[in-house]
């Protein structure tokens, strides 16, 4: 750490971490970081601004690692299985997963630029940050052909980017004997898949819903039918036969699904990406009140955007 005249601040660090959760070829990861700050309010040309307590700009870059994948993930662990030997069922052991001695740290590179502002004897404080986080070598189970004897393989694959901004504003409205302070925070984040190795998209299922992760889009985007209102009597002939594509058993009043590929049927081939489950904006406001030995805190939170 280096501090020059309480105006120019520099910090640098380096970590060299080892984890027994990774293969013998890559147990270690190197994670450097550095940051710098400039206290503008300490400069000579700001001396007359006595109402200003702090005006600081800062920037940082660093790397961090993730090894949270469970123990012995790189090894081919044995599991108990049954097979038949003639007319007899026989128990035995066999590898339960594919080994990967090259399994390594998942790393995130973070770039952050911020401003800190404090005025009127610290009664008004503002912190603003803009960040770009890029995660590489994601620890992920990819699908492999069943001819391997397994269905998935744990490896490092792909990269994801998160970028956005955060703002925190705090005001001390009343000081004493009755104290009242207000804090407002806003955060916006955009998620984007940059790479998925040899594939460009993946569909997963959870709680009867399907989700699409595709290069260029957000993680786990909804993947579903598009709808076009409800089925009307005009969508059926006099004998009750559908004049538009429907699912088996559907009738008037049911949801009307869109035949995306125009093949005359509603099937999973008509699934399309829809929206995202991540909100555009997350916000919160907190009011704190204090009087003698009593205090009260009131918090409101919410989000905007997302589906």
């Amino acid at each position: 750490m280096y501090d020059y005249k309480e105006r120019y601040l520099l910090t640098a660090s380096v970590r060299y971490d080892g984890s027994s959760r990774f293969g013998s070829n890559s147990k270690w990861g190197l994670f450097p970081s550095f940051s710098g700050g400039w206290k503008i309010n300490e400069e000579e040309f700001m001396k007359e601004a006595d109402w200003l307590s702090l005006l600081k700009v800062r920037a940082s870059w660093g790397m961090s690692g993730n090894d949270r994948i469970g123990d012995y993930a790189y090894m081919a662990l044995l599991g108990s299985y049954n097979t038949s030997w003639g007319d007899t069922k026989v128990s035995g052991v066999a590898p339960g997963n594919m080994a990967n001695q090259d399994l390594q740290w998942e790393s995130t590179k973070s770039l952050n630029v911020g401003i800190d502002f404090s005025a009127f004897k610290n009664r008004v404080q503002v912190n603003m940050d803009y960040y770009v986080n890029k995660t590489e070598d994601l620890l992920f189970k990819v699908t492999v052909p069943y001819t391997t004897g397994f269905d998935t393989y744990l490896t490092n694959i792909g990269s994801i980017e998160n970028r956005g901004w955060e703002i925190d504003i705090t005001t001390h409205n009343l000081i004493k004997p009755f104290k009242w302070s207000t804090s407002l925070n806003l955060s916006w984040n955009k998620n984007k898949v940059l790479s998925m190795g040899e594939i460009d998209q993946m569909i997963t299922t959870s709680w009867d819903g399907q989700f699409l992760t595709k290069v260029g889009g957000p993680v786990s985007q909804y993947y579903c039918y598009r709808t076009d209102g409800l089925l009307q009597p005009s969508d059926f002939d006099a004998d009750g036969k559908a004049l538009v594509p429907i699912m088996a058993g559907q009738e008037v009043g049911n949801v009307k699904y869109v035949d995306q590929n125009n093949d005359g049927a509603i099937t999973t081939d008509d699934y399309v990406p829809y929206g995202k489950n991540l909100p555009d904006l997350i916000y919160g406001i907190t009011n704190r009140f204090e009087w003698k030995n009593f205090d009260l805190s009131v918090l409101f939170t919410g989000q905007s955007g997302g589906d």
Side-chain angles (χ1 to χ4, degrees):
M1 301 178 66
Y2 182 71
D3 179 351
Y4 181 70
K5 293 186 177 181
E6 295 187 355
R7 301 178 193 171
Y8 313 108
L9 313 171
L10 294 174
T11 302
S13 68
V14 61
R15 295 176 61 96
Y16 192 54
D17 292 340
S19 174
S20 58
R21 290 177 170 176
F22 297 121
S24 57
N25 299 337
S26 50
K27 288 185 180 297
W28 294 89
L30 183 67
F31 307 108
S33 67
F34 57 87
S35 64
W38 176 28
K39 288 186 177 180
I40 302 175
N41 62 294
E42 295 294 337
E43 297 290 349
E44 289 296 328
F45 60 83
M46 295 293 292
K47 290 300 183 181
E48 295 184 2
D50 53 1
W51 55 272
L52 186 63
S53 304
L54 175 66
L55 178 59
K56 176 182 176 183
V57 294
R58 48 186 167 74
S60 64
W61 180 91
M63 292 180 62
S64 61
N66 174 32
D67 68 340
R68 290 170 291 181
I69 55 173
D71 298 327
Y72 315 115
Y74 69 93
M75 301 174 64
L77 302 178
L78 297 178
S80 298
Y81 302 93
N82 295 323
T83 186
S84 59
W85 189 264
D87 295 330
T88 305
K89 183 175 74 173
V90 179
S91 298
V93 294
N97 61 287
M98 296 177 67
N100 183 3
Q101 292 295 330
D102 294 322
L103 201 62
Q104 61 180 331
W105 286 86
E106 176 183 293
S107 63
T108 298
K109 299 176 182 177
S110 300
L111 174 65
N112 183 282
V113 179
I115 298 176
D116 299 325
F117 171 85
S118 182
F120 310 114
K121 297 182 179 180
N122 295 320
R123 293 191 66 172
V124 177
Q125 299 170 329
V126 180
N127 304 101
M128 300 178 62
D129 287 273
Y130 175 78
Y131 63 87
V132 179
N133 295 339
K134 184 179 180 181
T135 302
E136 300 176 321
D137 297 323
L138 288 161
L139 295 164
F140 192 75
K141 287 185 176 181
V142 298
T143 303
V144 295
Y146 282 107
T147 52
T148 62
F150 308 95
D151 56 355
T152 59
Y153 175 61
L154 183 61
T155 186
N156 297 90
I157 184 173
S159 61
I160 293 175
E161 179 186 82
N162 286 280
R163 64 171 63 221
W165 52 261
E166 296 178 348
I167 299 177
D168 184 80
I169 303 173
T170 299
T171 60
H172 298 275
N173 311 313
L174 298 175
I175 299 179
K176 56 182 176 180
F178 180 78
K179 298 179 181 179
W180 170 32
S181 64
T182 303
S183 295
L184 171 69
N185 58 77
L186 306 167
S187 64
W188 172 89
N189 181 78
K190 183 177 181 181
N191 175 269
K192 183 179 181 180
V193 179
L194 302 179
S195 171
M196 296 179 63
E198 297 179 356
I199 61 176
D200 64 354
Q201 70 176 41
M202 176 184 63
I203 299 172
T204 56
T205 301
S206 178
W207 295 96
D208 294 329
Q210 290 201 324
F211 302 87
L212 174 70
T213 299
K214 185 177 182 179
V215 174
V219 173
S220 294
Q221 190 176 20
Y222 292 116
Y223 194 55
C224 56
Y225 294 113
R226 293 305 303 268
T227 62
D228 185 20
L230 303 177
L231 291 170
Q232 303 297 320
S234 58
D235 293 320
F236 298 84
D237 62 17
D239 298 324
K241 184 178 180 180
L243 302 175
V244 296
I246 64 172
M247 289 184 176
Q250 281 197 297
E251 55 188 29
V252 173
N254 291 162
V255 173
K256 186 176 183 178
Y257 295 107
V258 178
D259 181 15
Q260 296 285 347
N261 58 4
N262 295 314
D263 64 354
I266 302 297
T267 67
T268 54
D269 292 335
D270 296 311
Y271 276 12
V272 292
Y274 180 80
K276 56 184 177 61
N277 53 49
L278 299 174
D280 296 322
L281 179 69
I282 299 176
Y283 54 88
I285 183 169
T286 301
N287 281 283
R288 299 181 181 87
F289 307 92
E290 294 182 34
W291 181 70
K292 294 186 177 181
N293 293 327
F294 298 91
D295 63 86
L296 171 67
S297 179
V298 182
L299 168 66
F300 296 92
T301 63
Q303 67 181 45
S304 175
D307 298 293

